[in-house]
Amino acid sequence: MTEYSGEDFLRLDTVSLDELQGLLDATAEMKQTPFRDTLSQRSLGMIFQKRSTRTRVSFEVGMTQLDGHAVFLSQDDIQLGRGETVGDTARSLSGYVDGLMARVYSYDDVEALAEHAGVPVVNGLSDFNHPCQALADTYTLLESFDVLEGLNFTWLGDGNNVCHSLLHALPRFGVDVTVATPPEHMPDSDVVERSRKLADEDGGGGIELTEDAEAAVYDADAVYTDTWVSMGEDGKSEEDFHPYQANTDLLSHAADSHVFMHCLPAHRGKEVTDDVVDGGHSVVWRQAENRLHAQKALLEQLLA
Ligand code: CP
Ligand code: NVA
């Protein structure tokens, strides 16, 4: 099994396909054997500039289950929140902890943390991407279908941070990704271009962009949506997004065996209806749980 060789975990497009596969294999093993002492005496500092339920708890509990310890550092409570620089924060914390996980507004901040920290840094979501989410989601898809190659995966709504990380990963495993968004909310063209290039080098999955939600969902094996307004985008209009709502009507065009995915938190009645998120096709709770297993696999490879 190929172990992750990077110093930090900031984005999936710099992780090789073999390393991604290694992390998926390690996630499966971690799910089977969750309690270990591989991170005994190790501490993880967790910096949060934004709120979190799943990321915070899965990293903290994950460290405990590996016999390590996590320290929650809300921006409101540490000097970063009153002007201490990211660099000085990184240098100071590196003297105490063995790794840092950070949820930041700007991707530049997590890069700056990694540049100045003497310990590995994990990106726990930024405006640009959410690599831990996409790693766990790739695992959830594998668990659901056994084989990733040839799956039709449809993203609905906003071409946002989670969408970017999924684009960096899924087509490389041979998954055909269709992204249906309003025209002004497409994923970044740089991400699409880079993901197409990586897919050509690796598993050969395609990436299609469309405004047509119904056509995008047709025969999909997996349909994924996320909030129309991400954290840090307050005031953004939701008006254009309504045709992209994941509801029973729209999802009736997907394959009979499709799974419905959402990174959560869900905004019920907006990007997804109750009957879909609570329905038989939904795997959202398993996605949330798999964050724990995937991140523990990652932490073990980065910190042990
Ligand atoms: N999906 C996700 O990252 O959830 P939280 O915002 O609750 O951490
Ligand atoms: N796109 C969402 C994901 C939350 C986990 C956000 O950034 O708010």
Side-chain angles (χ1 to χ4, degrees), residues 53-69:
T53 299
R54 284 143 286 267
T55 304
R56 175 178 174 177
V57 177
S58 56
F59 270 101
E60 181 161 345
V61 169
M63 283 300 290
T64 304
Q65 292 183 356
L66 297 176
D67 205 29
H69 176 67

Side-chain angles (χ1 to χ4, degrees), residues 44-48 55-57 59-60 63 70-74 99-103:
L44 179 75
M46 308 193 300
I47 299 174
F48 281 90
T55 304
R56 175 178 174 177
V57 177
F59 270 101
E60 181 161 345
M63 283 300 290
V71 186
F72 173 66
L73 303 163
S74 153
L100 287 167
M101 188 278 293
R103 167 163 289 194

Side-chain angles (χ1 to χ4, degrees), residues 48 50-58 103 124-125 130 133 162 224 226 231 262-265 288 291 295:
F48 281 90
K50 311 184 205 180
R51 286 164 197 252
S52 168
T53 299
R54 284 143 286 267
T55 304
R56 175 178 174 177
V57 177
S58 56
R103 167 163 289 194
L125 179 140
H130 197 357
Q133 182 70 51
V162 175
Y224 199 128
D226 182 16
M231 289 180 281
H262 193 308
C263 59
L264 304 175
R291 292 287 304 278
Q295 290 160 192

Side-chain angles (χ1 to χ4, degrees), residues 7-39:
E7 279 175 28
D8 307 294
F9 188 79
L10 305 186
R11 50 193 299 156
L12 291 181
D13 58 329
T14 55
V15 182
S16 76
L17 185 63
D18 281 348
E19 288 172 338
L20 280 176
Q21 187 58 60
L23 285 166
L24 296 177
D25 294 345
T27 301
E29 285 173 18
M30 191 62 77
K31 199 165 178 173
Q32 288 286 321
T33 321
F35 301 104
R36 307 173 179 198
D37 59 5
T38 42
L39 295 188

Side-chain angles (χ1 to χ4, degrees), residues 129-194:
N129 62 354
H130 197 357
C132 294
Q133 182 70 51
L135 176 66
D137 292 339
T138 305
Y139 178 76
T140 302
L141 274 172
L142 187 60
E143 213 179 34
S144 303
F145 293 101
D146 289 329
V147 177
L148 294 174
E149 192 174 2
L151 289 179
N152 292 316
F153 176 96
T154 297
W155 176 273
L156 285 178
D158 185 22
N160 65 12
N161 44 9
V162 175
C163 179
H164 286 165
S165 286
L166 289 165
L167 283 171
H168 278 158
L170 293 179
R172 298 163 69 193
F173 287 98
V175 177
D176 289 316
V177 177
T178 304
V179 178
T181 67
E184 60 279 21
H185 299 288
M186 297 261 173
D188 287 357
S189 52
D190 288 354
V191 172
V192 173
E193 200 181 314
R194 170 112 175 108

